Each structure stands twice: as C-alpha cells, then as structure tokens.
Amino acid sequence: MGGLGDVLPVPARVRPVPAAACTIGPGTAVRAAPGTAAVAEQLATVLRAATGYPVPVQPGLSVSAAAGGGAVRLVLEDGHGDEGYRLDVRADAVTVAAQTPAGLFAAVQTVRQLMPVAGAGDAVLPGGVIEDRPRFAYRGAMLDLARHYFTPDEVRSYIDAIAQFKINHLHLHLTDDQGWRLEIAGWPRLTEVSGGPGTGVDGAGPGFLTAAGYAELVAYAADRFVTVVPEIDMPGHVNAVQVAYPELTRDGAAVAARTDRAVGYSSLCVDREQTYAFVEDVIREVAALTPGPYLHIGGDEADATSAEDYRTFLHRVLPLVAKYGKRAIGWHEVAAVEPPGTVVPQFWRTAADDAGVARAVAGGCQVIMSPADRTYLDMKYDADSPLGLDWAGLLDVARAYDWDPATRLPGVGEQDLLGVEAPLWSETLRSLTDVQTMTFPRLPAIAEVAWSPQAARDWDAFRRRLAAFGPRWTAQGIAYHRSPEIPWV
Ligand code: IFG
C-alpha cells in the first residue's frame, strides 16, 4: 500500500500519521451530510469495489460506532475554495470536507488512488491529513473528433479516465476541414454530408453527434465535474462546411471533400452576410446545447484569410459568442485582433514568446497554456512511436512534466493563466486504444502541472508514483505506453 501522498496529482499538503490508518471493514458506512449525497454514492462505489463490502450510504452525520470498520463522513464547509478539500484519516473515522461537491469529488479521486481498484476484504486507508486545492482552475484535455470521430461510449470512457487525475474540462474539437461532427438543426447537410461515410483523415473517421448525443455527453461529464468546451473552428479549417454548403464559398461552386492532413487552405467568406447568418445559427445552437461557460471558436491557421479579413471576421463573431451567453476561447492567433478581456487565448505553438498574447494579457485576457512542445499528446513519445506527429518535437513523459506554465511566456504570469490543457489531435489515431496509448502516461504529468504547487513537484517522486499507477490502468482496461523513463512495477 502506498503512502498517504502517493496520489496523482500530488496533493498540496500531506501530513502522514501512520498510526492513524483507518480500516474499511464490513461495517463501514458512508455518512452523507446534506448536499453531499451524489458524491457520497460515488465514494461508496469506490469503497465497495475495493472491499466487496456493502458500504451503505446513510444521511446525517452521527457517526455510529459501526462494528468492523471506520465510518466515512462527507461534509460541506467553507475554507477550501471552489475545488479544494481536506481528507482527515483517523483510526476510527475518515472525514472528507470541502466547500463544494466538486471539492468532494476531488477528494474521492484521491481516496480512490489510496484504495485497491478491486479487492475482497478489509482495505486500509493510510492515516493522516491531506489539505489540497488546485493551482489552476482550468485543467483540460482535448479530443479531436473531426479528423477521426469517436463514439459517445468512447468519449465517456475518456471522461472516466481523465477525471481520475482531477482534469475538469474536456474540449471537443467538433469541426475541421475533414469533417463536421455535431448536428446543427438549421444546417442538416453539415453532418449528413460532412459527418457521413468517407469523411475524416483517410476517410476512416465517419460519424457525428446528434444534439441528444452531445447533451448526454455533457451530462455524463458534469456528473464527474468535467465541463465540456465545444469548438467550432473558423474562419479557417472549414472545408467540411463548404463541401456541405457550396453557397458559403466565393463562387458557389462544388467543393471536393478532403481526407488528407493539410491545413491552412480553407476560409469562410468574410465579406458575405450569409457567412454571418451561418455562424450565428451555429453559435446559437451550440451555446443552447452547452451549459458550460465556454465556447471555443478556433481561429487557428487561417492562412487563407487575410489579416484584415481575419480581424473583420473576429470583430463580428466574438460578440456573437457573448450574445449567446458564453465566454469565447480561441487559439492564440485571436490575440492579434486585440480581443476584449473576456476572451481566452489558448497558446499552442512552440515559440518562446508571443507579442500578441502578451498584449492581450495586458488588456486583461486570461490564457490557457497548451504549448505543443509540452502538451500536444499527438506528438510522438520517441522516434519509434507508430502513432502521432513530430512537428513540435518528440514529447516524452519527462518533457510533459518538467515545465512551469507561469514562466513559459514572457508577459504571461501566474495570475494571467486560466489554466493548462493537453490537446490530442486525431490525424493518426483510429481507435480508443490509440487515444489511450497517446494520452497515458503523459496526461497525469500535465494534470500535475495544472493542479499541484510548483514547489511540491519533483520528477523523481512523480515517476515513482506514476510507476505504481500502471497496474491500475491494467485493472481498468486502459492501454498506456510503457515509457522506458518510468520504473513500472
Ligand atoms: N495544428 C493544428 C491542428 C492539428 C495539429 C496537429 C492547432 C491549434 C497541428 N492547429 O494545433 O489542427 O493539425 O498536431
């Protein structure tokens, strides 16, 4: 059994008290204070799997001295911030305290890693106290459904896998040159044509989310305190739009579908009112389907849009995102148009600095940090990796771990960061196993960058904690790359 602090991401403060270890036994019950029932049930599920015991959930807090096993209490109290928690393990009782259900959920992910994935009989929680809270509020992963579509079941499996590491946002890249993956009521050909057979890179990635399917994913993610961030990429990366609706091109002529990996060749027509009618319909519908606060409008690699047209387009479209009640995120090229301070540039390139982003930060913007050379999970681990690309360099686990988002870009400090996100582009991916293999074990490294205090992070301690997690992925049926950097147990 590992120690109290052997958790990914490493908790902010850990005070082990070995003598205070608590046995989860046949009499253990979970006591749920008002407002904690949903997470209490999730915790009980973890303890049942770890022991095979019934572990009932009971309302109220009076800790009956249950025969055979400590009681586990969940309480809500102030003083822990939006997602922080306190885990207090004593010989006769475990107390989980947080200010919000999200904080309780974070505590359950910690307890989960201190328990066997599946077991029969007593299980022991190490004694002591953990006081924990995240460094950054936005801790994200991204799945590219456009180049290769993944089904709702596969996306749900990905949500389960990332939530274990306290990742709390899932960015879905829903549209690109090769495919459109979310049905839009007023524009049915977007998915009938560009979500149909033969779409995706190499034509191997057909499929799309219905509005109901998307709503179900959003709800599933919310139960795990993961907020879905939908991306409609524009004005570039729009070939799939124009294949479906040639009237949205310059000359109205039919457009050939594209299944190659090129980027930067397509653009919406910035000077046509029809373009903005289309864009507003899409933003209105996606916003209506998305309870979360963010809507990503892409904005990357608009090489077929002049700088002037790009500025014109964004100055008309960014206000539409606000009109429908959402906060816009855009790849960091959007910083070039001096966006309002509410817009979130997502930095993604490998450059050492970016004047546009620094200027946007000076104008009040907050940044999501996704430098490709540290966070792009589609980068090869090493030269032998069969999957992935290498334009941003090879990305092994150490490189994904060993950086500080607050010093990555001049002019972008701790307070200017909304958080960190690890994008996974799917040009070379064809299955959930491919997705898992590229994601794990690098995502826990990036999750620790996003959650844990910089001072609490140490590569050697991290790699040992990671090594101990390997069998957990195996027990969960999740594929992962056995990177030679890690002393897998
Ligand atoms: N850059 C493109 C993606 C994808 C990626 C693959 C961004 C923001 C290269 N844009 O990353 O569409 O092709 O690594």
Side-chain angles (χ1 to χ4, degrees):
M1 173 190 72
L4 185 60
D6 288 349
V7 175
L8 297 167
V10 66
R13 285 176 54 208
V14 180
R15 292 203 308 277
V17 180
C22 181
T23 298
I24 306 300
T28 293
V30 174
R31 317 287 320 197
T36 72
V39 178
E41 189 52 42
Q42 291 171 319
L43 176 55
T45 301
V46 166
L47 300 179
R48 291 168 191 149
T51 62
Y53 294 144
V55 191
V57 175
Q58 293 159 353
L61 275 187
S62 59
V63 177
S64 61
V72 181
R73 297 182 303 188
L74 278 76
V75 296
L76 289 174
E77 64 182 24
D78 286 344
H80 299 283
D82 289 346
E83 296 178 86
Y85 64 90
R86 172 191 170 87
L87 172 66
D88 188 340
V89 179
R90 301 182 184 187
D92 61 346
V94 177
T95 302
V96 176
Q99 194 162 306
T100 67
L104 293 173
F105 182 81
V108 171
Q109 303 320 303
T110 293
V111 171
R112 197 172 168 187
Q113 294 186 28
L114 298 173
M115 288 271 101
V117 173
D122 291 2
V124 178
L125 265 178
V129 179
I130 289 180
E131 297 271 2
D132 201 8
R133 64 177 63 198
R135 177 180 179 188
F136 296 116
Y138 185 107
R139 304 178 305 281
M142 186 207 85
L143 264 187
D144 172 5
L145 300 187
R147 276 54 175 271
H148 190 86
Y149 176 71
F150 296 99
T151 66
D153 279 347
E154 291 172 325
V155 177
R156 275 188 278 274
S157 164
Y158 198 64
I159 291 167
D160 288 339
I162 64 177
Q164 292 185 84
F165 301 109
K166 302 187 176 75
I167 294 290
N168 65 357
H169 288 82
L170 178 61
H171 169 177
L172 293 177
H173 185 74
L174 295 166
T175 73
D176 213 299
D177 290 313
Q178 300 89 345
W180 184 285
R181 306 301 179 194
L182 174 62
E183 78 174 352
I184 301 292
W187 300 77
R189 294 172 53 83
L190 288 170
T191 42
E192 283 167 5
V193 174
S194 294
T199 57
V201 170
D202 301 337
F208 63 88
L209 293 170
T210 62
Y214 176 78
E216 283 163 14
L217 278 184
V218 166
Y220 188 90
D223 285 347
R224 290 147 184 85
F225 298 88
V226 174
T227 299
V228 168
V229 178
E231 180 187 348
I232 305 296
D233 202 347
M234 46 188 164
H237 286 271
V238 294
N239 195 71
V241 173
Q242 296 172 325
V243 170
Y245 291 97
E247 60 266 41
L248 290 174
T249 63
R250 176 78 37 218
D251 58 9
V255 174
R258 294 286 292 264
T259 59
D260 59 306
R261 296 181 189 175
V263 298
Y265 56 84
S266 60
S267 175
L268 291 174
C269 299
V270 165
D271 56 351
R272 297 282 181 78
E273 279 315 304
Q274 217 171 5
T275 296
Y276 300 100
F278 164 72
V279 167
E280 179 152 7
D281 283 353
V282 171
I283 288 176
R284 181 191 312 110
E285 188 142 344
V286 175
L289 286 172
T290 303
Y294 301 110
L295 199 156
H296 200 304
I297 51 103
D300 62 311
E301 299 177 318
D303 304 340
T305 313
S306 72
E308 186 192 345
D309 280 357
Y310 186 83
R311 173 180 290 270
T312 302
F313 179 81
L314 284 180
H315 281 180
R316 285 200 57 176
V317 168
L318 288 172
L320 293 178
V321 177
K323 176 179 177 183
Y324 291 101
K326 301 301 174 188
R327 185 174 180 193
I329 301 175
W331 300 107
H332 72 264
E333 289 93 322
V334 302
V337 307
E338 281 103 25
T342 53
V343 172
V344 179
Q346 180 171 3
F347 179 74
W348 65 276
R349 288 188 184 274
T350 59
D353 61 22
D354 187 282
V357 172
R359 199 167 40 245
V361 161
C365 291
Q366 288 192 295
V367 173
I368 290 171
M369 197 54 83
S370 296
D373 55 319
R374 297 289 183 168
T375 68
Y376 267 33
L377 300 175
D378 63 316
M379 291 303 112
K380 290 176 180 292
Y381 285 93
D382 55 41
D384 303 331
S385 296
L387 301 170
L389 306 173
D390 60 10
W391 65 267
L394 299 176
L395 182 57
D396 62 11
V397 185
R399 210 164 148 65
Y401 185 82
D402 186 23
W403 65 289
D404 180 354
T407 61
R408 177 63 179 73
L409 280 182
V412 184
E414 184 89 14
Q415 299 314 314
D416 307 317
L417 290 171
L418 192 59
V420 180
E421 180 182 295
L424 176 58
W425 300 98
S426 60
E427 286 95 333
T428 66
L429 309 182
R430 295 292 176 271
S431 68
L432 180 62
T433 300
D434 290 352
V435 165
Q436 293 169 345
T437 305
M438 295 305 273
T439 299
F440 305 114
R442 288 176 297 189
L443 185 68
I446 297 163
E448 187 150 314
V449 171
W451 174 280
S452 308
Q454 191 72 21
R457 302 210 288 116
D458 167 76
W459 165 245
D460 212 47
F462 171 78
R463 63 196 276 276
R464 280 200 305 277
R465 282 183 277 115
L466 189 56
F469 200 95
R472 201 167 281 272
W473 278 317
T474 303
Q476 292 174 346
I478 290 175
Y480 66 99
H481 172 63
R482 277 166 181 67
S483 166
E485 309 159 87
I486 308 301
W488 300 109
V489 297

